[in-house]
Amino acid sequence: RAMERELERSEEQLRSLVGNIPGVTFRCQCSANWDMLFISDAVTALTGWEPADFLKGTVNFTQLTHPDEVDRLQQAVADAIAERRSYHVEFRITDRQGRLRWVSESGRPVLDDAGRVQWIDGVITDTTELKQYSAVFESTVRAIDRALAVIEFDLDGKVLTANANFLALMGYTLDEGVGQPHALFCLPDYAGSEAHETLWQRLRQGELDGGEYQRQGKGGRTVWIQATYNPIFDAEGRP
């Protein structure tokens, strides 16, 4: 009885642990439809189907996966099984209401003592909102790129890249500009001045600068611009 009580406590702890994992935890067979041996309750929120539906074979993830993604998904898993390694793949599924969702799946084949694959353990997370946010962000960046002259520098003021609008404005090709200092686009008196050095000290500290500037294009051509210098920050808030 003591052993039974301890087993019950262990099972409760396991259910609690699995229930708090962000995503759908599963264990499936290495079969064409990835028949489920276990799948967590979170699958209902993701797909609209109950765990029992997957365990009984009423529905499976091959059926839910977008037709354009099935071959790629199966190949990724098959490669991982053949090479006895973990895998990570993103794909689309259709839930019970017919809504399209993006998911991210990470898993690994579990081997027995003889090296044979017994099953696959993994986690599936819903990345639909992240995909939508990324799409909006990328669209915004493309819109800015089409509308404005944009150039990127590293913290030492060396050119990383520039868009077509900037290159046309200054008269340089990208190959001519990459790796060159910001001073390339400045009048000689300003390029070697304390004011120019102060500008880059402030930018390296994360300060924004903006206004009207007199710059120099290829061949010494004077160019007046209205511009901003915007430091880009990492996840720790550092430029």
Side-chain angles (χ1 to χ4, degrees):
R1 286 195 295 270
M3 291 176 64
E4 288 174 355
R5 287 195 297 270
E6 182 61 31
L7 181 59
E8 288 173 359
R9 281 196 293 269
S10 296
E11 289 175 346
E12 289 174 0
Q13 290 173 351
L14 181 59
R15 283 195 296 270
S16 176
L17 175 63
V18 170
N20 284 296
I21 291 176
V24 178
T25 307
F26 70 88
R27 172 171 288 177
C28 71
Q29 296 177 347
C30 299
S31 58
N33 293 325
W34 314 113
D35 299 311
M36 291 294 167
L37 301 171
F38 167 84
I39 193 163
S40 65
D41 293 341
V43 74
T44 304
L46 176 64
T47 68
W49 296 89
E50 298 292 332
D53 295 320
F54 289 90
L55 297 176
K56 291 186 298 185
T58 305
V59 67
N60 60 64
F61 267 94
T62 300
Q63 293 172 311
L64 300 184
T65 301
H66 191 285
D68 292 345
E69 311 276 18
V70 171
D71 290 344
R72 180 174 62 85
L73 172 61
Q74 292 186 340
Q75 187 62 55
V77 178
D79 290 345
I81 292 173
E83 298 169 18
R84 303 301 195 257
R85 58 169 174 80
S86 60
Y87 66 89
H88 175 81
V89 63
E90 288 187 313
F91 58 98
R92 293 168 291 171
I93 65 169
T94 303
D95 68 14
R96 197 168 189 174
Q97 287 72 45
R99 296 172 300 185
L100 200 63
R101 291 178 177 270
W102 275 97
V103 297
S104 173
E105 179 179 325
S106 298
R108 65 179 181 87
V110 178
L111 311 179
D112 61 17
D113 293 339
R116 295 184 295 262
V117 177
Q118 293 183 290
W119 54 69
I120 296 173
D121 285 343
V123 176
I124 300 172
T125 54
D126 188 347
T127 59
T128 305
E129 289 189 9
L130 178 61
K131 281 286 186 180
Q132 291 172 343
Y133 176 82
S134 297
V136 171
F137 176 78
E138 291 171 5
S139 295
T140 302
V141 170
R142 285 195 297 269
I144 291 173
D145 190 67
R146 289 192 297 266
L148 300 176
V150 181
I151 185 168
E152 296 179 12
F153 299 93
D154 64 17
L155 293 181
D156 294 323
K158 300 291 181 62
V159 176
L160 296 173
T161 189
N163 71 356
N165 293 338
F166 183 89
L167 297 172
L169 177 66
M170 291 298 181
Y172 290 96
T173 66
L174 187 59
D175 288 341
E176 290 173 327
V178 170
Q180 295 297 319
H182 176 256
L184 176 68
F185 311 109
C186 300
L187 298 175
D189 289 347
Y190 177 68
S193 69
E194 183 178 342
H196 184 256
E197 179 58 30
T198 300
L199 167 67
W200 280 94
Q201 288 177 354
R202 292 176 54 236
L203 293 174
R204 281 191 286 269
Q205 293 168 3
E207 298 181 35
L208 181 144
D209 194 87
E212 190 175 61
Y213 307 93
Q214 185 180 8
R215 294 291 183 251
Q216 182 173 271
K218 189 174 183 180
R221 177 172 51 89
T222 297
V223 180
W224 284 94
I225 59 172
Q226 181 74 32
T228 57
Y229 290 82
N230 299 282
I232 305 300
F233 299 94
D234 64 16
E236 303 299 324
R238 297 170 301 200

